[in-house]
Amino acid sequence: FFMTACRLDGKLGISGKGFGLVSGGLCGLTKTLNLEWDNVFARIVDLGPDKTPADSASIIINELFDPDCRIVETAYGPEGRVTLEALEAEGAYEEKNDQIDSSSVFLVAGGAKGVTAACVAELAAAHKCRFILLGRSEYQGGNEPIWATGIDDPAELKMAVMNQLKQSGETPTPKAVDKQFKSILSNRQISRTLKKIRETGSLAEYILADVTDRRTLKKKLAPVVEKLGAVTGIIHGAGVLADRRIEDKTINDFEAVYSTKVKGLEALLDCVETDRLTHLSLFSSAAGFFGNAGQSDYAIANEILNKSAYRFKTMYPDCHVSAFNWGPWDGGMVTPELKRMFAEKNIDVIPVKAGSQLFADELSSSDNTIQILVGSSMRAERQLSRSRLGSFRITRRLVADDNPFLKDHVIGENPVLPTVCAASWMAEACEMLYPGFSFFSATGYKMFKGIVFESTQAQQYILDIDEVEKNSSHIEFKVNISSRKKNGEPVNHYAAGIRLVSRIPEPPVYEKADFEVTKIIDGRQLYRDGTLFHGPNFQGIERVINLSEHRLTVECRLPEVAVRDQGQFRVGTFNPYAADIQFQCMLVWVRHYLNAASLPAEAQAAEHYMSVPAGRKFYVSLSVKNNGSASMTSDIISHDRDGRVYSRIQKAKVIISKQLDRLFPKAGKR
């Protein structure tokens, strides 16, 4: 175990209030070690200021026993237990702000070369303003030796450097050649950046300064501010990498990486009047939000920048504050070798034009999103280090009050756990153990004794998971859910084989879909007349479009189930509320042809390819395999209008009983 406990704000620093910023770096450290150390359970816990020592001890112990390895950071505050999640941004940048004009002056660290320079040039093109570029490279004002002028080919330029060193009496060692070669290239890059900015009508000056040396920085900045005006915006794009696993890091590695980001920000803020700032833009990294193997120091530093952005916005609410959590760029510190490595691992890089345009649009927008994740997470497919097959036992407290959706799944007088929730429970428990792998299929699903929420119901349930097969592409488990009677006797409830995969296959096309409208039944009628007992959170059937002795086609739309109603059965890779509609179709067929109620009991196999989009129309096609007085078996496929399969179930079986009729109430008789 590797656990860090800190006191930020009970919200992992996003409130911007009441915490030490440096402690925020522990989030980046923990998330990185979670990736570097495969056999170690890593977790950070942010204990809100209201948590007593007794509260804190209890929280830490509970987190140590949490089986969900997908979660690395948690916080406890006024809103209860929370974590952070990345959500896809919606909409375009429509409304522009009026904070940037010709008098705006941006102080830019690391802005003369690389991706920061590209971003600044794009901003200059959008707003003719003023820029003070800081860098650690010597700049000869665009001048270069006559012998190097016009030589663009790297090999030819290095040869020219060697000849010049020989002519001057120096030994052209590889180190000496490389130093002068890089100096010439650096000078050219700075010249191109200044030229590009000035061509937009903007003003730009370059200062040679170490961003961490605030005393020298202040001294060199003073005359430029006198010339261009007081600084109104900061763009902190400076950064250094020293990638190694944490056990191989040196103090010098850490200091170089950490200081450039964290002490650099402190120095920049110390050199300006913060009350005058209209913009604070920090170049953070996806390595901070997600962690990244080999970059513990970089993740620490960038997470401190992320937390600093929230703090600064709280202190200066009128300032536009942004922490850009960039993935890898197609340029900058991403060398051709790194780019090839990213391609091999299916990690996308950010095109320079698209990334710099996004940066300029964000600073120009009247909306202000404080933390923005751009591009890939930089996390490659997870490699399994545990070669031995393992066994796990996970316990869960299960009561109706914790799962509001159960009010819509009542049979008779008692809430009943939907069979699809049991399947979801087993699938998600396996996913918890292996982040990076997703549920794809289940085999041999059986319900032995369903869970009914009544006075005699057990409140503690046991999930036993045994690994059957494991490699880099898939993992197979044997899973069983049970409880114990008061006398200790075990009661089996559900069992199945679960398969996780590193990559879900492309969905197949169901070519036998029948969309001919021959028998229309309004879905609302099915939920009113006792055919189906399901309440609003499960009412996804809009209408039956055809029905025969051998098949059934139903038109559906997935209901929106509020997160608060989902309780312990959240929508994830597997959506139990969508899957339930497939089983409802069996109940519809049985009612129509056998005039009886029925309940799901087992399924030979099931495959899940992709989630049904919320609010979009989809179809369920049922094909009857066999039926009798006691049971009915069918194949059920959920698909779109083009036949693309969302999920499919083979040989699903329901138990038929007319005695169940009295438990399926008609509308108004609940």
Side-chain angles (χ1 to χ4, degrees):
F1 293 88
F2 179 87
M3 175 170 276
T4 52
C6 61
R7 287 195 184 275
L8 298 176
D9 57 352
K11 296 182 71 173
L12 291 163
I14 67 169
S15 75
K17 300 176 182 178
F19 57 91
L21 290 171
V22 173
S23 297
L26 292 172
C27 298
L29 171 67
T30 308
K31 286 181 283 191
T32 296
L33 296 190
N34 183 58
L35 299 174
E36 291 191 10
W37 296 344
D38 286 343
N39 293 321
V40 176
F41 176 89
R43 180 68 54 88
I44 181 165
V45 185
D46 169 21
L47 302 163
D50 62 322
K51 302 305 174 191
T52 66
D55 292 336
S56 301
S58 177
I59 287 168
I60 290 169
I61 296 299
N62 285 337
E63 289 295 328
L64 282 170
F65 280 92
D66 180 21
D68 195 346
C69 297
R70 300 169 302 179
I71 298 174
V72 187
E73 53 185 354
T74 57
Y76 288 78
E79 297 177 17
R81 182 178 187 255
V82 298
T83 189
L84 300 182
E85 180 181 1
L87 299 177
E88 188 171 350
E90 296 181 359
Y93 299 99
E94 296 178 353
E95 295 186 21
K96 302 284 187 179
N97 66 42
D98 57 2
Q99 291 180 298
I100 306 177
D101 57 30
S102 60
S103 65
S104 297
V105 180
F106 285 90
L107 177 60
V108 189
K113 295 187 289 185
V115 296
T116 312
C119 289
V120 169
E122 198 67 44
L123 185 62
H127 306 277
K128 295 178 176 60
C129 46
R130 308 172 188 194
F131 298 92
I132 304 171
L133 309 182
L134 307 179
R136 293 185 297 178
S137 301
E138 294 280 354
Y139 179 54
Q140 284 79 40
N143 300 316
E144 67 179 28
I146 295 176
W147 53 263
T149 303
I151 304 177
D152 295 323
D153 182 77
E156 292 181 11
L157 183 57
K158 283 190 175 181
M159 185 61 69
V161 172
M162 291 175 64
N163 292 334
Q164 177 61 26
L165 288 171
K166 288 178 182 178
Q167 290 177 14
S168 62
E170 296 182 46
T171 304
T173 63
K175 185 176 181 179
V177 171
D178 191 56
K179 180 180 179 181
Q180 195 158 344
F181 171 75
K182 287 182 177 178
S183 175
I184 293 169
L185 292 184
S186 174
N187 196 61
R188 289 177 178 179
Q189 288 176 339
I190 296 170
S191 291
R192 282 196 295 269
T193 299
L194 291 171
K195 182 174 182 289
K196 194 170 184 179
I197 293 172
R198 289 166 180 166
E199 283 177 346
T200 68
S202 299
L203 302 177
E205 297 287 337
Y206 178 79
I207 295 177
L208 171 62
D210 184 339
V211 71
T212 65
D213 183 355
R214 70 180 68 192
R215 182 176 298 178
T216 303
L217 181 57
K218 270 187 176 182
K219 184 178 178 181
K220 291 191 172 184
L221 194 57
V224 183
V225 168
E226 186 71 26
K227 178 180 178 182
L228 296 184
V231 172
T232 60
I234 288 176
I235 301 171
H236 184 17
V240 173
L241 293 179
D243 291 3
R244 307 171 195 253
R245 290 175 64 90
I246 192 167
E247 55 266 34
D248 300 322
K249 292 279 184 187
T250 67
I251 292 295
N252 289 338
D253 288 340
F254 181 86
E255 186 62 28
V257 174
Y258 180 88
S259 295
T260 303
K261 288 289 183 183
V262 179
K263 294 184 179 178
L265 176 59
E266 292 174 354
L268 290 169
L269 291 173
D270 193 46
C271 291
V272 304
E273 297 176 56
T274 52
D275 288 338
R276 301 189 64 158
L277 290 182
T278 61
H279 288 79
L280 175 64
S281 299
L282 309 177
F283 277 36
S284 181
S285 170
F289 185 82
F290 295 104
N292 195 32
Q295 293 190 326
S296 54
D297 43 14
Y298 199 60
I300 289 169
N302 283 299
E303 271 288 71
I304 293 174
L305 290 195
N306 292 335
K307 310 308 181 190
S308 298
Y310 288 106
R311 168 62 68 83
F312 197 87
K313 182 65 176 179
T314 300
M315 296 171 64
Y316 301 95
D318 293 333
C319 183
H320 189 289
V321 182
S322 302
F324 291 89
N325 288 215
W326 301 111
W329 285 73
D330 188 6
M333 291 185 282
V334 176
T335 62
E337 292 77 16
L338 273 176
K339 190 176 177 183
R340 281 194 294 272
M341 182 197 74
F342 288 141
E344 290 170 1
K345 295 183 177 181
N346 296 311
I347 297 174
D348 296 327
V349 295
I350 303 168
V352 173
K353 177 63 178 176
S356 56
Q357 183 66 61
L358 183 146
F359 170 81
D361 287 345
E362 179 64 33
L363 265 66
S364 304
S365 174
S366 59
D367 293 329
N368 186 186
T369 302
I370 298 176
Q371 188 171 358
I372 308 158
L373 288 90
V374 188
S376 172
S377 71
M378 299 171 65
R379 290 171 67 173
E381 292 181 1
R382 192 175 182 87
Q383 301 298 311
L384 296 179
S385 62
R386 293 196 297 245
S387 57
R388 292 181 300 173
L389 299 178
S391 294
F392 307 89
R393 170 165 284 187
I394 300 171
T395 58
R396 169 180 278 188
R397 179 179 180 271
L398 191 63
V399 294
D401 289 345
D402 293 338
N403 297 281
F405 71 88
L406 287 171
K407 70 181 183 301
D408 290 333
H409 202 269
V410 176
I411 300 178
E413 297 180 353
N414 299 305
V416 175
L417 187 72
T419 195
V420 290
C421 286
S424 170
W425 185 356
M426 292 188 279
E428 187 183 35
C430 294
E431 286 183 328
M432 286 179 179
L433 299 171
Y434 287 94
F437 285 80
S438 302
F439 167 72
F440 172 58
S441 63
T443 55
Y445 172 82
K446 288 187 178 181
M447 179 179 72
F448 302 109
K449 181 176 175 55
I451 296 176
V452 180
F453 294 85
E454 55 186 352
S455 58
T456 60
Q457 175 226 356
Q459 292 191 356
Q460 197 80 4
Y461 292 86
I462 302 166
L463 195 75
D464 284 310
I465 302 174
D466 295 313
E467 294 176 354
V468 176
E469 183 182 344
K470 179 166 59 177
N471 57 46
S472 60
S473 65
H474 67 269
I475 312 170
E476 295 195 9
F477 307 86
K478 180 181 177 183
V479 187
N480 187 77
I481 297 175
S482 64
S483 64
R484 293 193 180 277
K485 295 181 179 179
K486 291 182 179 180
N487 62 6
E489 182 183 347
V491 178
N492 289 321
H493 294 283
Y494 312 93
I498 298 294
R499 183 183 179 94
L500 304 184
V501 295
S502 59
R503 185 170 299 174
I504 294 177
E506 286 294 314
V509 175
Y510 178 53
E511 296 180 348
K512 295 182 179 180
D514 181 6
F515 297 109
E516 184 179 0
V517 179
T518 60
K519 175 74 172 180
I520 295 180
I521 303 175
D522 191 330
R524 290 171 294 183
Q525 176 185 333
L526 299 172
Y527 295 109
R528 287 197 302 257
D529 65 10
T531 299
L532 299 170
F533 60 87
H534 306 73
N537 280 323
F538 292 91
Q539 293 178 0
I541 296 177
E542 291 196 332
R543 64 174 186 158
V544 173
I545 61 175
N546 56 61
L547 177 62
S548 70
E549 290 185 17
H550 303 292
R551 53 186 304 119
L552 165 71
T553 306
V554 174
E555 197 173 78
C556 310
R557 198 179 304 270
L558 193 63
E560 287 276 5
V561 183
V563 173
R564 64 179 179 275
D565 287 343
Q566 294 173 26
Q568 293 167 285
F569 298 88
R570 299 290 180 89
V571 173
T573 305
F574 185 98
N575 184 337
Y577 311 97
D580 195 79
I581 296 172
Q582 293 176 278
F583 284 98
Q584 290 177 34
C585 291
M586 299 182 73
L587 275 59
V588 171
W589 189 94
V590 169
R591 171 61 69 187
H592 187 82
Y593 277 98
L594 303 177
N595 193 29
S598 56
L599 288 174
E602 59 185 70
Q604 184 182 89
E607 293 174 336
H608 174 75
Y609 291 93
M610 58 182 181
S611 298
V612 177
R616 185 180 300 176
K617 186 181 296 183
F618 70 101
Y619 299 86
V620 177
S621 294
L622 180 148
S623 175
V624 179
K625 295 304 174 186
N626 57 68
N627 70 86
S629 60
S631 67
M632 175 267 206
T633 303
S634 64
D635 292 345
I636 318 168
I637 299 176
S638 173
H639 56 87
D640 65 13
R641 182 73 189 188
D642 297 323
R644 287 199 314 160
V645 174
Y646 294 115
S647 60
R648 59 188 179 189
I649 306 171
Q650 293 177 313
K651 293 188 177 179
K653 181 179 179 181
V654 291
I655 301 300
I656 300 170
S657 171
K658 288 185 177 294
Q659 294 180 352
L660 287 171
D661 285 351
R662 61 184 177 82
L663 302 179
F664 281 34
K666 293 180 172 59
K669 294 186 177 182
R670 289 187 178 276

